[in-house]
Amino acid sequence: MQQQAVEHLDVLTETGLKTGVSRPRGDVHRDGDYHRAVHVWVFAERTQELLLQRRASCKDSWPDLWDISSAGHISAGDSSLITARRELEEELGVILPKDAFELIFIFLQHSVINDGKYINNEFNDVYLVTTLDPIPLEAFALQESEVSAVKYISYEEYKRLLAKEDSDYVPYDVNGQYGQLFDVIEKRYKENTVARSLTLQKQISRYAPVSLSAELSELSDLDQEALGFVVKAASVMDEIFLLQSWYSNPALRDWLKEHGDTSELNKLKWSYYQINKSPWSSLDEDEAFLTTADSAIRLFSNATKTVRDWKGVEYRAAFPQLKPAGGNFYPPDMDKMEFDLWKDSLEKDEQKEATGFFSVIKRHSEFILDSHQSDNKSSSHDLYITPYSEEYQSLLAKAADLLHKAGDITNSPSLKRLLHSKADAFLSNNYYDSDIAWLELDSKLDVTIGPYETYEDKLFGYKATFEAYIGIRDDEATDQLKLFGDNLQLLEQNLPMDSAYKSKDVNAAPIRVIQLLYNAGDVKGPQTLAFNLPNDERIVKDRGSSMVMLKNVSEAKFKHILLPIAAACVAEEQQEHVDFESFFTHTICHECCHGIGPHTITLPNGEKSTVRLELQEFYSALEEAKADIVGLWALRFLISQDLLSESLLKSMYVSFLAGCVRSVRFGLEEAHGKGQALQFNWLHEKGAFVWSSEGTISVDFTKIEGAVESLSREILTIQAKGDKEAAGLLLQKYCLLTEPLKVALKKLENIQVPVDVTPTFPIASKILQ
C-alpha cells in the first residue's frame, strides 16, 4: 500500500510572516508553531443561514462537532485563496470560481486540547461565500474522512449557540475576534437605507459637476472624422482599467448600471461608482462604500453534482472591504516576500519583465484549478508572468483596430504616426516607439492613450494602468510656456542639492496646453490638472519627457474649489493674492520639475539603479512632493533671474498655501495628498505658514523662501541616495493631519466646498451614443 505523504506546513513568526521553514503538521501542533489555515463560510442571503459541517469522528481535533462550512491548513508552499477553493471542493464537492470568495478578516486562534498534546497557534484567513439561496443538501459530495453531515442554520441562532458554548458545536468566541463574522452579516443585511442614502449623497456632493468642452472648428475635417474613432478607442481604456482594479469589478459595474433606476439608493450607488470606478472611495482613503451584498449575481451551473430542477449556485461576485494593495496585477493572496523570492530565482531579463510596467503576475495553481488539469508544474515557483498584450488581448485588439482607422484618416503626419504605433504597441506589448511618437506629437488634436501611471499598484508601484486624455491644443497658451522648457538645465544646475547629484544633460520637457474633451480609464476620483509622461526611465533618459496641461480642468477647479477654500482658510489680508495665473503657473512648474532632480542614480556600492526602484512604495508620494516644492523654489529662482515677473512673488506663495489645503482633502492614502501634507507640515513647523487664533493661515514672506529651499534639499538628497529608510521616516513624521489642517478641513466640510470636480463630456457623449 502506498504511504500517504506527510503534510508540511509553513512555520510563521508571531506576526504571521513566513520564516522560510516548513515542518510536518504533527510536529507543528505538538510544539505550538504558528501556521496558517483557511475558514470558508457559505452564507445563503435569502434565508440568512450559514452552512455548517459536522466533523468526522476520526478527526484529531473536535470530532463529531458542528463547525465551519469548510476549513483546512494551508500546506507549505500553497497559497490562501487556492487552498480555500480546494478545501470547499474536496470536503463538500462545491467548485466555485475565485470571485465567489471574499476575505473578510484574519483571525489568530490560540487553543490547547487533547491534554496539551495539540497546541493550535493558527492564523485563519476567513472567507465568506455569499449565495442567493441555500445549496440543496443532496447537491453536496461529502469527503467521508473529514465530514459526516452538513446543515443550514440561521446565523442568529448559530451565534446564540456559540455564545452559550453549546457542546455540539466547535467553540468560537463570538464576543472576541470571531464576532466579526456576525457583525459583517448584520451590518450588510440590517442596514438603514435612509441613512445610507444620506451618506452617499454627502459623498457625491464633494464633487462639483462640470461640463468640459473644446472648440472643434479648429480641427480639420479629417481630424474631426478621426476624432470619432479615437474617442471610441479611449472608451476601451475604461474596460481594461475596471479589470485592473479588481477581477469582479466589470461585473459590479454592469450590475449597478442595470439596477441604477430601480430605487433612489441604487441610483446613488451607481452615481458614486461612476466617479470612483470601483467600490472603494478615492476621497475616503479607499474605504469601501459598497459591499458584496450590493454586487452582481452570477450563476455557476456546474458548481456541484446535478440536482433535478435546480439550475446551480447563484452567488454574489465578491470584493474585499479593504482595497487590495496589488489591485488585480498580482494574485490577491501573494505577499511581498513570495514575490521577492520568486523574482530572485529568475534570469535578469525575466526579473525586468516581472517588475516592468506592462505585465501581470499570476499563479500556475490557479490556472490548474480553473482548467481542471492535473498538477504537473515544472517550476518550483507558483508565480508566472503574463504580458498585458495577452492578458487584455480582446480589448486591446478592439482599441488597436479603432486607432488604426483613425490613423488612416488623419492628415497630421505626427498624429498618424502616434495612432498607428500605439495600435501596434497594444498588440506587441512594446511601447518604446509609440512613446517616442507621443513625445514628438505636433497636432491640433492631442491624444494620450495607453498604460502609464503606477499609482494603483500600492504593493510595489511597478504596474501601469490604462488611461486616455483627448483634447484640442491651445496654441496661444502653449507658446507662453516655452520659458520653462528653455530653462530646465539652468534650474537643474542651481537645484538646492550637492553638485555631485546633478545631471549634466536635462532634456527640456516640451509642454502642450490642451482643452480636454474626453478622458477615460484610470481617471477616477479627483481629476488631474496635468501629467508628465512617459514614466519609462529608458525614454526619459534618452529623450526626456513631455507635459500636457489641462487648462479647462484647471479653470474649473480654481473657480469651484480654490477660491472658496481661500475665502475660508487664508487670512483675509492675503486673499487678494490668490489668482488663477499663479495657480496655473505653479501647476506647470510642478510638472516641469518631474523632469529635473535625480532619476537614474548610483548607489553607495557603485551599482546603477533608479529612484523608483529604490524607494518602492514611498516613491510616488515623495516624487509628488518634490515636484511641488521644487516647483515653488523654481518659480522664485526664475523671478530672481528676471525671467518671470516680480508681481508673481506673493501670489504664488499664497495660492500654493490654498492649493495645499485643496490637495490634503484627497486623503492621506493618495500620493498627492500625502505629498501635500508633508509640505504643509514642514512649512508650518519652520514658521513659513502661520496659523492664527481665528483659525486662518497666512504666509510669512520672510521665512517662506528658506523653508521651501530646506525641504527641497531634504527630498532631493533622499532621492539621490535612493535612501528608502529616510523616505519612510520623513513621510511618517510629516504625513499627518495636524491641528491647522484638521481645523481647515472641518471648516470646508461645514460650508460644503467641493473637494474636486466630476466632468461630463458633451462632445464625447454624442460620439459614444
Side-chain angles (χ1 to χ4, degrees), residues 190-257:
K190 289 194 170 173
E191 63 164 17
N192 175 333
T193 51
V194 176
R196 191 162 176 208
S197 295
L198 284 171
T199 302
L200 280 166
Q201 275 167 351
K202 204 171 164 188
Q203 287 177 304
I204 293 165
S205 71
R206 294 176 297 180
Y207 289 90
V210 296
S211 171
L212 297 180
S213 230
E215 202 41 75
L216 289 187
S217 59
E218 296 179 23
L219 292 181
S220 68
D221 290 350
L222 288 172
D223 277 359
Q224 288 199 40
E225 195 185 330
L227 174 66
F229 291 104
V230 171
V231 166
K232 283 174 185 160
S235 73
V236 178
M237 300 303 109
D238 260 343
E239 299 303 314
I240 302 176
F241 175 64
L242 292 183
L243 205 49
Q244 290 185 304
S245 297
W246 186 247
Y247 42 80
S248 60
N249 199 21
L252 173 65
R253 187 271 318 262
D254 294 345
W255 180 264
L256 293 172
K257 185 179 182 179

Side-chain angles (χ1 to χ4, degrees), residues 455-475:
Y455 301 124
E456 279 294 284
D457 175 2
K458 291 204 165 73
L459 202 58
F460 289 110
Y462 294 149
K463 306 299 170 195
T465 46
F466 283 81
E467 61 182 26
Y469 291 89
I470 316 299
I472 310 287
R473 189 173 66 193
D474 182 328
D475 290 320

Side-chain angles (χ1 to χ4, degrees), residues 500-754:
Y501 302 133
K502 292 177 184 174
S503 202
K504 299 284 176 284
D505 51 343
V506 174
N507 288 305
I511 306 167
R512 321 197 279 261
V513 179
I514 67 168
Q515 304 288 353
L516 185 68
L517 60 84
Y518 186 53
N519 69 10
D522 186 1
V523 294
K524 61 178 175 48
Q527 295 296 297
T528 195
L529 296 174
F531 48 86
N532 190 315
L533 295 173
N535 285 324
D536 187 331
E537 282 93 357
R538 298 170 308 160
I539 299 174
V540 174
K541 197 164 183 275
D542 297 348
R543 301 295 298 272
S545 56
S546 187
M547 192 200 311
V548 176
M549 312 279 311
L550 313 176
K551 194 168 185 188
N552 51 351
V553 180
S554 290
E555 285 168 339
K557 290 205 193 201
F558 184 79
K559 178 181 156 195
H560 290 280
I561 301 158
L562 209 72
L563 285 177
I565 285 177
C569 301
V570 172
E572 203 177 329
E573 68 280 5
Q574 291 191 350
Q575 286 179 15
E576 61 181 27
H577 297 306
V578 179
D579 62 18
F580 179 68
E581 190 197 350
S582 31
F583 173 66
F584 193 57
T585 309
H586 179 257
T587 309
I588 298 157
C589 214
H590 167 107
E591 295 304 332
C592 283
C593 288
H594 278 304
I596 60 175
H599 289 282
T600 305
I601 56 174
T602 307
L603 300 175
N605 63 7
E607 260 184 65
K608 284 259 184 278
S609 185
T610 65
V611 181
R612 183 189 295 277
L613 278 177
E614 293 308 313
L615 298 190
Q616 288 187 340
E617 69 270 25
F618 302 136
Y619 171 77
S620 292
L622 216 62
E623 178 57 28
E624 288 308 325
K626 176 205 86 175
D628 251 345
I629 201 74
V630 173
L632 206 50
W633 168 86
L635 290 178
R636 177 70 194 96
F637 178 79
L638 292 170
I639 291 169
S640 73
Q641 302 294 301
D642 294 334
L643 291 164
L644 280 176
S645 158
E646 192 73 50
S647 66
L648 266 178
L649 205 50
K650 286 186 173 171
S651 61
M652 72 184 195
Y653 289 129
V654 183
S655 299
F656 176 77
L657 164 59
C660 264
V661 179
R662 181 184 75 86
S663 291
V664 169
R665 299 173 87 205
F666 298 150
L668 300 193
E669 279 303 298
E670 193 267 351
H672 298 78
K674 267 197 176 105
Q676 287 280 18
L678 160 61
Q679 296 165 81
F680 179 92
N681 290 326
W682 179 286
L683 296 174
H684 179 239
E685 181 188 273
K686 302 285 183 271
F689 285 167
V690 182
W691 191 41
S692 77
S693 51
E694 291 90 69
T696 58
I697 309 163
S698 59
V699 176
D700 183 334
F701 296 114
T702 64
K703 291 181 180 164
I704 185 92
E705 265 175 56
V708 165
E709 187 165 320
S710 65
L711 180 55
S712 299
R713 185 182 307 281
E714 182 81 13
I715 294 174
L716 290 165
T717 307
I718 288 172
Q719 288 187 324
K721 291 179 174 172
D723 189 342
K724 185 180 176 184
E725 190 189 356
L729 289 170
L730 184 72
L731 290 168
Q732 194 186 339
K733 182 175 175 188
Y734 291 100
C735 270
L736 307 167
L737 270 188
T738 49
E739 209 46 38
L741 286 174
K742 277 186 195 156
V743 170
L745 296 186
K746 192 79 202 128
K747 263 190 188 179
L748 300 178
E749 203 185 319
N750 291 344
I751 57 172
Q752 293 188 336
V753 175

Side-chain angles (χ1 to χ4, degrees), residues 4 33 46 68 76 142 172 220 257 283 319 349 368 373 386 430 432 464 530-531 533 613 634 654 728 732 741 756 758:
Q4 227 188 334
D33 290 328
R46 285 201 178 121
I68 301 155
L142 307 184
Y172 292 99
S220 68
K257 185 179 182 179
L283 285 181
F319 53 86
D349 57 334
I368 289 159
Q373 294 180 357
T386 301
N430 180 353
Y432 193 93
F531 48 86
L533 295 173
L613 278 177
V654 183
Q732 194 186 339
L741 286 174
D756 212 76
T758 178

